Amino acid sequence: MVSPGPLIRVQDQPVSIRCDVKEYMGPREQDFEWQMSRDQSSKPTKIISTFDASYSDASLSKRVASGDISVLRLQDNEVELKIAEVKETDAGFYLCSTPSTDSVISGNYDAQVQLTVIPNTLSVSPQPLIPVVPEGSDITLSCNVTRQLTHPTYLSVTWSVKKGGTLEDILTFGPQGEVVAGPKFARRYADGGIRLVPGRNGLFELVITRVTSSDEGAYECNGTEWTHENGGKWIKIVESKKEMGTVTVTPTEPNFTLNLETVLNPKMTAEPTELACHVTNITHLPLGGRLGVTWEHTTIPGIGDDPQASNLIGSLDGNGNLLPGTMYSDRLKSGVLSLTRVQPNTFKLRFLRTEEFDMGQYVCTVSAWSVNSQGDLVKTAEHQSSPQTVQWVTKRPSLNVVAKHIREASVGGATFEMSCTVTTENLGEVGYSVLIQSQDSVASSVRTIMTLSPDNVLQHGGATDPNRRDSLVLTKSGPTEFRFRLAGVQLSDRGFYWCDITAWTKQQPGQAWTRATSAESNKVRIDFQENGPSFSIAIHSDVSSVYPWETAKMECSLSVSGSSPKTDDLAYEVRWLFTRLRGGETTTQVASVDRFGVVRKDARNSSSDISIERKDTHIYLLNIHGTQDRCVGEYHCIATPWYLSASTGAWTEAGELTSSRVFLTVRFAVWDSLKLPLLYGVAASIGVGLFSLVLGLVCAQCCCRNTTHTPRSRNKLMDLEMD
């Protein structure tokens, strides 16, 4: 097999034709012979053989000997016929054959292909370039590529630029009409920075816009003629390169004016600072050019660790990317420090909280950026502003705390409340920690009751009774005011109370608090005398006499005066006593209820029943159910109050109280008790008499018949009589 044809080649250009053999027997290495004939009917001319050095025809022996015609073995079964400079007389049919080494003849042992040789009519004519162009302008690369169309061949054109010793392809057009940009120019072509303008009659133009210094170099135009063979391959048959000229780009440096001003000038530490860098009078900034900024800070001697040290704060490049300085990276990430750009052309540096080490001189350096030939942003110019000084007179921070009564506890169990108000000087935004402290006397030890951190975390001190923590309250009632409240004061709470407040600052959010200063307030005193409550008792009954089997009720009421305890902090023990004699000394306990509400009834020789009812906290009711004559006598109650002392916090037993006496009488009504039996007896007597009278009349009519004789009848039959 040989290369598919026909093959179209250009005169004086190299030609190579491959030939290979497959599915053969015998040795692995096969020999080949090449012959050529002008047409199908003419006698072939021997060209060259792989095994016979004298095989070539006499007309071709000199060309074979000079190497103009040669055969190159590629593999054991494949060779390539090479013609260094093909001539017009070399056109014809080329036959490749191999001697048979098979035991059986099978397949074909030769193959031929037609070679057509056309004259070299390719012409490449570039237009000269302007040798010097200003930066930011456009250059046009014009190249005329033509050929005489005698056979189906195709053209392509390639523009290249040589920088130093390196040749870089800019763009290729053809041969099928496709456009292929070089690796370093693909992005620029996609962005429209490079445009292809096909013309007529073989004129091709390539426009490079907004040139920069990176576009300098020697430009070339390469025209190529191609053929498309039956195998689907594009074969370059001839090419021609022509230099277009060298281009030098004159840089046009952008120019502008900077004005740095202080928008916010701090008067003290922790106040905000803002600097504005205005860019005006901008000239020669190319289309698509951008501005960037770099901020620097120089410390004032005596402030900071390194006097007169210049530190990079941060920068914004041409793409707007933030590049923080090492010392300011954390502050920029947290947002305490910001670098921004506002329209039209102003850059701002802002400190939300300025510290003492931020004092010093600030400068802004503005850079101009433009797009190079590869589509990348490069810095083209840079200008620095005059320094701007940021400084203030440092003053020592001070803190003052005033405590005062809100509610004063005059008796045990009352609520004590005080407030602490803070006033500051030379302090910005701060947080406060509060310690509520107390002492029994001026000379006694100090106790910490409660603490409140700058993060508003509340904790109880070691001197706080765990059972009384619900009675303690510490709150922040205002930006600079704190309140402490103690409910249910006791004798042990007497003493002096005050606030110990510390001011804290943060250099930036997320960092730890730094102590600024602290102060103690004046002392507020809790002082009262415990007198305790006083009680009284009384007994009352709606009726003093009852009838038998009725219910008698007697009410024992107690009252309290003075420092009245809460309802849940008060209880009574109540006992009821009875004596039959009016004013008798000997009494018998009837029933009792203790302070826990447990009722006990004593044994009594009576069929009546006793119950005790608690109507409210201070009233107890004795009920005697089914009264009888044994219930007649004097009744009184004895109560023992118990109360929870606000001073000591313990249950305290008050003195026993005895009420006056109430005499209960059970009345017996004789007429009321006999009238019903008499009425029943009279009614029964009348009923029995009437019944006896009626019964007698009935008996007289039925038992006393007539005795007069009646004569017998003469009849034979006797009349039947019935009594």
Side-chain angles (χ1 to χ4, degrees), residues 3 13 47 133 228 230 309 358 363 379 461 510 569 588 618 704:
S3 302
Q13 298 298 313
I47 303 175
V133 296
H228 192 236
N230 291 336
D358 292 323
V363 295
K379 187 187 298 184
D569 299 341
T588 303
H618 306 288
C704 297

Side-chain angles (χ1 to χ4, degrees), residues 343 354 431 593:
Q343 290 297 334
T354 312
V593 56

Side-chain angles (χ1 to χ4, degrees), residues 532-543:
S534 59
F535 300 90
S536 61
I537 189 172
I539 190 169
H540 172 72
S541 178
D542 291 339
V543 294

Side-chain angles (χ1 to χ4, degrees), residues 265-451:
N265 198 2
K267 304 300 181 184
M268 56 182 292
T269 305
E271 286 190 351
T273 302
E274 184 174 316
L275 299 173
C277 185
H278 303 286
V279 186
T280 58
N281 303 324
I282 302 175
T283 58
H284 304 301
L285 184 65
L287 184 64
R290 301 176 184 179
L291 297 177
V293 68
T294 299
W295 292 91
E296 291 181 333
H297 169 240
T298 303
T299 58
I300 295 177
I303 298 178
D305 298 333
D306 188 7
Q308 289 294 311
S310 180
N311 300 311
L312 173 65
I313 299 174
S315 62
L316 296 173
D317 63 9
N319 289 316
N321 299 317
L322 174 62
L323 305 174
T326 304
M327 295 182 59
Y328 295 86
S329 177
D330 293 339
R331 299 175 73 182
L332 284 167
K333 290 179 181 179
S334 64
V336 175
L337 175 62
S338 63
L339 274 66
T340 57
R341 175 180 178 174
V342 295
Q343 290 297 334
N345 292 300
T346 299
F347 298 93
K348 286 190 175 183
L349 171 67
R350 181 178 178 85
F351 293 86
L352 293 181
R353 178 186 178 87
T354 312
E355 304 298 336
E356 286 190 17
F357 52 78
D358 292 323
M359 288 192 293
Q361 291 184 339
Y362 291 83
V363 295
C364 66
T365 302
V366 177
S367 55
W369 299 71
S370 60
V371 182
N372 64 5
S373 58
Q374 284 75 37
D376 299 324
L377 279 174
V378 293
K379 187 187 298 184
T380 57
E382 193 172 68
H383 294 277
Q384 189 178 79
S385 70
S386 57
Q388 187 74 21
T389 302
V390 175
Q391 189 176 8
W392 62 91
V393 178
T394 57
K395 297 180 180 179
R396 186 176 182 85
S398 64
L399 182 69
N400 185 40
V401 186
V402 176
K404 63 178 181 179
H405 276 107
I406 300 297
R407 283 192 281 182
E408 187 172 359
S410 58
V411 294
T415 299
F416 166 76
E417 185 174 1
M418 73 174 184
S419 70
C420 294
T421 305
V422 183
T423 56
T424 61
E425 290 183 0
N426 305 321
L427 280 173
E429 296 182 4
V430 296
Y432 298 102
S433 63
V434 182
L435 277 70
I436 303 298
Q437 296 182 322
S438 70
Q439 59 183 170
D440 296 336
S441 62
V442 177
S444 62
S445 60
V446 177
R447 302 185 303 269
T448 299
I449 307 299
M450 301 183 77
T451 63

Side-chain angles (χ1 to χ4, degrees), residues 114-131:
Q114 183 182 2
L115 173 64
T116 301
V117 180
I118 62 176
N120 187 359
T121 60
L122 179 64
S123 174
V124 178
S125 302
Q127 294 184 6
L129 296 175
I130 301 174

